[in-house]
Amino acid sequence: PAADPAGPVTSNATAPAVDVDRLKRPRAVVLAETPRVAITTPAVRGSINLKGARLDDLVLLRHRVTIKKNAPPVRLLSPSGTTDSYFARFGWAGNGVALPDKNTVWAADSTLLAPDKPVTLSWTNPQGVRFQIRVAVDDGYLFTIEQSATNASATPIVLRPSGLISRTGASKDIDTWVNHVGPIGVFGSGANYEIGYPDLKGIKPGFFDAPFGTSTKAGPNYFDTKGGWLGFGDLYWLAALIPDQNAQVHSGFQSEGDVFQADYASTPVKIAPGMIARTSSRFFAGAKEVRLIDKYQDDGGIANFDKAIDWGWFQIIEKPIFYYLDILFRLTTNFGVAIILLTLTIRGLLFPIAQRQF
C-alpha cells in the first residue's frame, strides 16, 4: 500500500545541506576508496559509489577533449574529494528517523548497470525502515531513479524525497547574453537563464547581469513549482535533476565557497507502519545533443527540456537551420562542405528578393 501526502512543499522547506569534502586526493585514489557498481552503455562509462549512493564517475564516450585521434573521452562527473568533484545524490529528509546520508554504504543487487540491466541499492535503518534506490539507464544520457521507503517500524514516519547535484568550481566556459553557461532550470513555463555562479556566492547582480526585474538575487535562489528541472550547464555539457513532472517541488541553487549545489525536495509523505512510499525522478548527465534533448522532451515528457540549449530569441529560425546543417553534415561528413551548401541554399531562397532589390 502507498503512503499519503503529509502536506505541501513550501518556500520554508529546508534545502539539503551543501555536500562538501574538503580533503582533496587524486581521482584514482578516491575511486579506489569505496565499493562501486560499474556503468557501461554505448554513450557513457563510469560507476556508482555505494558510499552515499552517488552517481559520481562518468565519462562521455562519444566526445573527446580535443580533436586529436587518441584524445581521451570527456569526463563529466568526478567523486567528492577530488579538485573537480561533480556528482549527483538522491535521498530523503525527515525528523525522528535514522536516514541514509553521504556516509551510508548501500548494498547492491548487481555489480553492473547497463541498458535493460537496472541496479537496486538497499539499506535498512535500526528502526526497521528499508530504503531502496532503483537505478536504470538508457543508451543515451538519461538515468531513471526510483526511490522507495518501507516502514517496518511500529510508528508512522514522515519523509521528503530529495535530490542534489554538487559541483566544485564554476565552468571554464564563458557565460554570455547570447549563450548562458551556469545554473539553469525550468521553474514554471520557461527556462531561467538569469542565475549565475557569482549570484550564488553572494555577489549582488548588477542591472546588466539581471535586468528587467528578474527574480535573481545574491545568495540562494529557490522556487516552488510543479515538476520542472534544474542543474548546471556548460557550453556543450549538462547535468540536470528531473523530479516527477506532476509533483510539487521546492527547488533551486545554493553554494558554500566554491561548491555549488542544485537541489530539490518533493512533497512530504506520511508512511504508516507496514506502508511503503515510492517516488520516481530522472537524472540527465551528458552532451547537449539536440536530437537527443528533443527526444527526451517529446517522448519522455520533460517539459521545456530543449531550453537546456540557449537558442536565444531567434530559436524559431536557428533551430531549423541547425537541423538542416546537421543533415548536410551527415550527408557530406565535412562541415566545410555542409556550410557551403547551407550558404548556397539560403542564397537561393533569397535570390528572388535580392534580384528585385537589385
Side-chain angles (χ1 to χ4, degrees):
D4 297 321
V9 173
T10 70
S11 58
N12 294 321
T14 302
V18 177
D19 197 326
V20 180
D21 186 343
R22 303 192 184 284
L23 179 62
K24 304 302 179 186
R25 290 94 70 201
R27 182 182 295 112
V29 172
V30 177
L31 290 173
E33 288 177 345
T34 55
R36 292 181 170 272
V37 172
I39 302 172
T40 301
T41 82
V44 301
R45 183 180 67 244
S47 61
I48 300 174
N49 190 349
L50 292 181
K51 183 178 180 180
R54 291 170 168 172
L55 286 158
D56 65 356
D57 172 31
L58 204 69
V59 295
L60 312 182
L61 301 178
R62 293 199 287 250
H63 301 276
R64 305 284 171 174
V65 295
T66 71
I67 61 173
K68 293 181 179 180
K69 183 177 181 180
N70 296 323
V74 169
R75 171 168 289 279
L76 185 62
L77 303 182
S78 288
S80 178
T82 59
T83 55
D84 54 353
S85 69
Y86 197 3
F87 60 87
R89 180 164 64 88
F90 297 85
W92 293 262
N95 296 319
V97 59
L99 299 171
D101 59 22
K102 64 181 183 180
N103 295 313
T104 300
V105 178
W106 296 69
D109 66 355
S110 175
T111 59
L112 175 67
L113 172 64
D116 300 321
K117 293 182 179 179
V119 171
T120 299
L121 313 182
S122 303
W123 179 78
T124 303
N125 74 3
Q127 297 163 295
V129 180
R130 183 174 178 81
F131 297 92
Q132 289 188 317
I133 304 175
R134 183 180 185 272
V135 184
V137 64
D138 66 2
D139 56 2
Y141 304 119
L142 195 64
F143 295 82
T144 299
I145 313 296
E146 297 178 355
Q147 297 172 245
S148 66
T150 304
N151 186 8
S153 70
T155 58
I157 58 175
V158 176
L159 298 177
R160 188 173 71 249
S162 64
L164 66 82
I165 296 174
S166 174
R167 174 176 187 153
T168 298
S171 174
K172 295 180 176 62
D173 298 331
I174 299 175
D175 181 23
T176 68
W177 272 66
V178 295
N179 200 339
H180 176 69
V181 169
I184 181 174
V186 169
F187 308 105
S189 59
N192 186 319
Y193 298 129
E194 306 299 337
I195 304 172
Y197 291 112
D199 305 316
L200 302 184
K201 295 186 74 171
I203 301 174
K204 186 176 180 180
F207 175 82
F208 291 103
D209 299 316
F212 313 124
T214 65
S215 59
T216 308
K217 63 182 185 297
N221 279 263
Y222 278 86
F223 309 86
D224 295 303
T225 62
K226 180 179 180 181
W229 57 270
L230 74 161
F232 298 103
D234 297 293
L235 191 59
Y236 302 113
W237 328 117
L238 173 71
L241 302 166
I242 308 162
D244 184 335
Q245 295 298 280
N246 294 315
Q248 296 294 326
V249 294
H250 178 70
S251 59
F253 306 94
Q254 58 177 318
S255 72
E256 182 178 324
D258 286 332
V259 178
F260 302 94
Q261 183 168 296
D263 54 62
Y264 75 88
S266 297
T267 304
V269 292
K270 183 177 181 180
I271 312 173
M275 304 287 278
I276 182 170
R278 294 185 177 91
T279 185
S280 180
S281 58
R282 286 170 286 183
F283 173 57
F284 178 95
K288 295 192 286 188
E289 299 172 6
V290 178
R291 294 177 186 275
L292 195 57
I293 292 286
D294 286 350
K295 175 185 175 183
Y296 290 145
Q297 174 176 283
D298 298 337
D299 300 340
I302 306 173
N304 291 301
F305 201 51
D306 64 337
K307 303 299 183 184
I309 299 170
D310 185 3
W311 294 98
W313 293 345
F314 301 102
Q315 177 176 348
I316 192 172
I317 299 173
E318 289 181 38
K319 202 166 181 180
I321 290 178
F322 170 85
Y323 269 112
Y324 180 59
L325 180 62
D326 187 51
I327 291 171
L328 293 176
F329 170 71
R330 292 170 186 270
L331 291 174
T332 64
T333 68
N334 185 297
F335 259 120
V337 174
I339 291 171
I340 291 172
L341 293 176
L342 173 65
T343 303
L344 292 174
T345 301
I346 294 176
R347 294 283 291 181
L349 291 173
L350 296 178
F351 178 78
I353 299 174
Q355 181 68 11
R356 181 65 180 266
Q357 182 184 26
F358 292 146

